[in-house]
Amino acid sequence: MSELWPTIRFTINGKSCAVQAPPMKRLLDVLREDLRLTGTKEGCGEGECGSCSVRLNGELVNSCLVPVLQAEGADLQTVEGLATNGVLHPLQKAFLEQGGAQCGICTPGMLMAAAQLIERNPHPSMAEIREGLAGNLCRCTGFMRIFESVIAAATQRDEAAAEKVADAR
Amino acid sequence: MRGNADAHELIAPGSLAGVLDVLAAAPGEWTPIAGGTELMVAFSAGRLNARKLVNLWGIPELRFIETTPERFIVGACSTFLDLRGHAGVAAELPLMTKSASWIGSIANQSRATLGGNLVNGSPAADSSPALLVYDAEIELISQRGRRRIPYSEFHTGYKRNAMAADELMLAIHLPRRFARHKQYLRKVGTRRAMAVSKVALAGTAWIEDGVVNEIRLAAASLAPFPARLYGAEAAVLRKELTAAVRRQAREALLAEVQPIDDIRSTAEYRKRVAANLLDEFLMELTTESEAR
Amino acid sequence: MLCVNPLSIRGFPGMPTKTTTRIVGAPVPRKEGADKLLGRARYVDDIEREGMWFGATVRSTIPRGLIRSIEFDRSIDWNEFAVVTAADIPGENHIQLIVADQPCLADEQVNHCDEAILLIAHPDKHKVRAAVDAVRIEYDPLPPIFTIEESERQDQVILGADNLLKSFVLEKGDVDAAWKDAAHIVEGEYRTGAQEHLYIENNGVIAEWSAENGVTVWGSLQCPYYVHKTLIKVFDLPDDKVRVVQTETGGAFGGKEDYPSTLASHAALLAMKSGRPVKMVYDRMEDLAATTKRHPSRTRHRTALDKNGKLLAMEIDLATDGGAYSTLSSTVLSRATIHAPGPYVCPNVRVTAKAWATNTVPYGAFRGFGAPQSIFALERHMDEIAAAIGLDPIELRRRNFLHEGDTTATEQLMREPILLDQLLDRALRESDYYARREQFAKENATSLAKRGIGVATFFHGSGFTGSGERILNSLAGVDVMPDGTVRVLVSNTEFGQGTNTVLTQIAAEALGIDYDDIAMAAADTGVVPNSGPTVASRTVMVVGRLIERAGAQLLAMLREHAGLGATYTRDEFFAACERYRAQKGEPLSLVRYEPPPGIYWDDQRYHGEAYPCYAWAVHVAQVAVDTLTYSAEVEEFWSVQEVGRVLNPVLATGQIEGGIAQGIGYALYEKVVLQNGHMANNQMTNYIIPTAEDVPPIHVYFEQIPFSYGGYGAKGIGELPHDGPAPAIVNAIKDATGVSFHSIPLLPEDLFAVFVANQNVEEPAAP
């Protein structure tokens, strides 16, 4: 069977890659099984919990609902691609400091949703944070520490940007 | 995960013409798949019966929002995020924008398409009540040509529709004549986000001199498919919205809806809440006409 | 919506406050936090073993009956598969909990839907799925029972002589003599529903078997030694031939306390049969349908009060639905019994408690462990009493609070200061309770949304009940590895609550070294001693204390044998460790549990020191009830608690907030719908938990009285916050609508049904 599978190419966390897989295979399973990127989690398999959230061409998607064929040529980002050169992404740092992660199983998806949110909307209101994360179920935190983390990360980004401007002067 | 990817074929012709060829060659054999937010759920649960699927995702001819003087034309594979982000639609047809924001979460809205929502044909479809009260039309396409039908005639039964086996939904046409209408839309689910609607009610109305000159009412989850509430409309049309008329409208609605008990709610609850929502809309109209 | 989190420590004469700690009390980041944030943490489904097969379960489709035949569809080549039935079990076909009555695999008879009958494994996970569907089981059905009432009436006797899983009577004073002196007698009946844990990571394990090494299991679980206890019996193996290793665990809440013993046995049986490592990870539908839930309950209160609103007598009849087997129903019932009279003084109390068998999946451990059920009933009843006797519900509680020197219903003397009055004052102040009540009463007259505010005051006993900790006899410690790593040796597990972080803080503090010098030894029965299960809010209080003592003992060893000075630097500490190693071998310090002095518990009479200490809390909920949609939403929530010393304020606050969110779900969203004993809404789309848009702003405040016998003064914290939200919310709904609700969950349809019964729904009020 596998010799009949098409080769599907995409970029993941900045690296191009190719997999041979049945076209209906879920992107989630390709990430976890074929590419061994196990940071992306499965919580429900029905697009309800958001644990499998990744970014596909700059959009937030539930990778359990994407047949891999539809990722052909796409630019993908997973939790493994958030940190750069071993330096935590501002969201990762904020989650660590503010208690945004407890058991950690929703965390990768939550981080991707939060990254999508603050990239589109650098200063989200509380209502916008709540909406942006509503598709990512967390059973541990009651969300308060997560909201604090997103606010802290957004603020930190501002401060970093302000420093850059100051340096430039 | 109960589905087996090896048991399903998925092809990607890559163009509208290519998809229509596939559908024409073997009408009824191929199931189109767009954002996958319905079909992939069934696949994961091991209950996707379709063995042959043809991909619509990424075909530009199906994903667009065009503005003409008379209408917005929304490509069937436009996502709900596309719809939410369209300023013209938001300004004139805010119920569309609002219903788009109800679809699951951001990660669902980035994939779920307006056409998919309609073809899937859930009685609870979030976008349907708004489309019904905006007099939307559906444009269908096949190798045989194109045709347009009113959306109110699209659903023909529970999960059944007016499409032929070789047809594809091309676009949804939204007339631009409601910007000055009084508009209403409310969805009731168990929680604020990520909720399947237990009742949803939409309305557009035009009041002149305290009289209802024009009214459209539609509901989801009250019948085997989303539908207009013609009885309730008739009860208020060309009348002043007195308490007695409002009561008649309420009774007309209760008489025409056929909700069911299911895992998510009860028929009794759905009926009563729908009637309450209708009353809320009619009260808003009353207040409006009194204010003039 | 920033959560203000001021910490104030109150010192009391004779109490060790130790306010000058370096690491304990600081918001140090989560020990395994970076791994979780980088996606590097390895949960069981992230792990592969060489040559691994996949296992699946064939389950009962009926609630009760005899297995007549099992047929294997011939379209499948069964030679490719490993198939296990009860006949393949080398040892006992029982899960080892309190009473070993639950089979590992059903043999001859099934007693609930989704009971495991047969196991299948194959190298291809899709083929194993198809094989499950190709097994056909014929039954001779027997009539099932599904409710407490059907069980107590003995419509069918499905267990023992009378369906009774366990009963307790707790008695103080003379209840029967008290009624005649009462100025008021108030009765009420209250019910709570089942609740699913809904950890986001489903249950899962990987098992290996070999004739030489026995059984090894890696899995998502809370209690490695519980799983060990079952495996040695199922496989009839000596202790050292079974090894259980916890993998990173994505939430548990009690749902991975007892169930993993079953799942681990299943995977290990398939591993033995196939000769391969076998992974079994449930999908959401299977996890929801087949694993434990919170016990449903029914509580009847009859209460006598004097003319001043002081409690004279409480007669409480408590019943829980235990499901088809005993599992943990007796201990859940025990905690429910002791918490039923609440944090109040009453001279005469009788609690009659019974756990009943039904043909449903066995109910099990869930955060709070019986207390949320009892506290819902009592705190709802307190508001009903207040209304009946015309007293403010706050005042009624205040007049009856326990204080230092009082005795509880088990006649446990309250030896330590109790801050209930202060907690209540602070909760009322922070929530602006009276002003809001007044404002809502005014606005509700003309508003479609009816707002209200409600309170619950409660305690939660920390640690195992009664003699439990003495029986556990926990052993824990620290050691120093040749590479200089100092390890904490416990079998207590991290599943989000912060075990790793707080025990590391305690070890670093006790040893006078840095947080980063300490590592948690793997929760592996082959490595760590049995420091007891990770349940009952015991980890920081009980095990933390052991680590504190083990640290002090290690320092004493280093001083005596390796010349460590009275004061020392970090380098001097590690140098001393090396000298010790050279002379005496591995620096290893293990200590065993020692009960606080003067503890006495009578298990027969349910009398004495039920818990070493109690954590106390006051919850305030503000709700809005929409009269068009009959839905209730929590708009804001305040929680003031005393949990002993707070060892990590960020983690502690997270525990409180998370527990409250789960409690809000318990009250308003989460309903397990059973159809013929099978969970019909076994999908996340249909079992609704609160999302980020549904949890209101939660304000958390701690008062602190360090507990002398807890790790650095800590008491239990994890379960406390789940106890209060449901009654506070339902009390607020009554404040908003004037309608008393006596059961949870209260979904809009449930509110609607009661409003209809009260004829309250004809026409919504015109604005």
Side-chain angles (χ1 to χ4, degrees), chain C residues 673-696:
Chain C
V673 180
L674 293 180
Q675 284 174 1
N676 199 29
H678 166 77
M679 184 178 179
N681 56 334
N682 60 332
Q683 285 177 283
M684 277 204 189
T685 333
N686 293 326
Y687 183 85
I688 304 294
I689 66 166
T691 71
E693 290 199 59
D694 300 294
V695 179

Side-chain angles (χ1 to χ4, degrees), chain A residues 32 41 46 102-103 130 139, chain C residues 36 43 46 685 692 695:
Chain A
R32 291 179 53 83
K41 307 300 182 190
E46 53 175 337
Q102 287 191 20
C103 84
R130 286 173 175 273
R139 192 60 156 168
Chain C
K36 287 176 172 175
Y43 298 79
D46 303 337
T685 333
V695 179

Side-chain angles (χ1 to χ4, degrees), chain C residues 528-548:
Chain C
V528 293
N530 188 350
S531 55
T534 308
V535 303
S537 307
R538 67 184 292 275
T539 302
V540 179
M541 179 180 85
V542 176
V543 184
R545 175 72 173 172
L546 296 181
I547 297 305
E548 185 185 350

Side-chain angles (χ1 to χ4, degrees), chain A residues 9-152:
Chain A
R9 288 168 216 282
F10 44 79
T11 307
I12 181 134
N13 299 327
K15 288 187 205 130
S16 48
C17 77
V19 293
Q20 259 203 319
M24 270 296 275
K25 189 165 183 176
R26 304 182 305 175
L27 176 59
L28 170 65
D29 299 325
V30 170
L31 293 173
R32 291 179 53 83
E33 294 169 7
D34 299 48
L35 303 174
R36 297 300 298 151
L37 291 171
T38 55
T40 303
K41 307 300 182 190
E42 174 162 9
C44 69
E46 53 175 337
E48 282 286 318
C49 75
S51 303
C52 67
S53 304
V54 302
R55 297 172 80 204
L56 188 156
N57 292 335
E59 295 283 8
L60 188 71
V61 304
N62 290 316
S63 62
C64 74
L65 299 185
V66 178
V68 67
L69 186 73
Q70 294 186 343
E72 169 75 43
D75 182 17
L76 290 163
Q77 188 190 25
T78 66
V79 68
E80 288 92 347
L82 274 182
T84 40
N85 305 324
V87 180
L88 295 184
H89 184 280
L91 276 166
Q92 290 170 318
K93 184 166 175 283
F95 270 64
L96 192 58
E97 288 166 356
Q98 304 291 328
Q102 287 191 20
C103 84
I105 195 81
C106 77
T107 306
M110 193 69 75
L111 286 169
M112 300 316 289
Q116 178 76 17
L117 173 72
I118 62 172
E119 196 159 296
R120 289 293 165 94
N121 182 356
H123 302 102
S125 67
M126 184 52 76
E128 288 164 341
I129 294 174
R130 286 173 175 273
E131 191 198 1
L133 304 181
N136 295 78
L137 297 178
C138 169
R139 192 60 156 168
C140 292
T141 63
F143 299 103
M144 299 298 126
R145 307 287 94 218
I146 292 174
F147 300 157
E148 299 296 323
S149 303
V150 173
I151 292 167

Side-chain angles (χ1 to χ4, degrees), chain A residues 1 5 22-26 29 42 45-48 59-62 64-67 69-70 131-132 134-135 137, chain B residues 1 5-6 8 10 12 33-37 40-41 43-44 48 53 55 57 81 84 105 107-108 110-111 191 193-194:
Chain A
M1 198 85 195
W5 294 340
M24 270 296 275
K25 189 165 183 176
R26 304 182 305 175
D29 299 325
E42 174 162 9
E46 53 175 337
E48 282 286 318
E59 295 283 8
L60 188 71
V61 304
N62 290 316
C64 74
L65 299 185
V66 178
L69 186 73
Q70 294 186 343
E131 191 198 1
L137 297 178
Chain B
M1 171 57 183
D6 265 336
H8 301 269
L10 170 61
I33 178 169
T37 53
M40 292 302 287
V41 174
F43 170 65
S44 278
L48 178 63
L53 296 114
N55 180 43
W57 186 259
L81 271 191
R84 281 185 82 178
S105 62
N108 301 111
S110 70
R111 298 276 304 170
R191 61 186 171 194
M194 300 292 292

Side-chain angles (χ1 to χ4, degrees), chain C residues 328-398:
Chain C
L328 300 170
S329 286
S330 60
T331 45
V332 169
L333 188 70
S334 159
R335 189 171 282 270
T337 303
I338 295 167
H339 286 73
Y344 304 110
V345 188
C346 183
N348 307 294
V349 179
R350 183 190 298 133
V351 186
T352 312
K354 293 183 169 129
W356 295 99
T358 60
N359 295 111
T360 51
V361 174
Y363 294 98
F366 192 156
R367 193 180 205 166
F369 210 68
Q373 292 92 319
S374 282
I375 291 168
F376 172 74
L378 177 64
E379 286 302 293
R380 250 323 357 264
H381 190 58
M382 290 300 275
D383 268 35
E384 293 299 306
I385 292 172
I389 71 175
L391 195 61
D392 180 83
I394 302 294
E395 184 55 30
L396 172 68
R397 287 175 170 85
R398 217 187 268 284

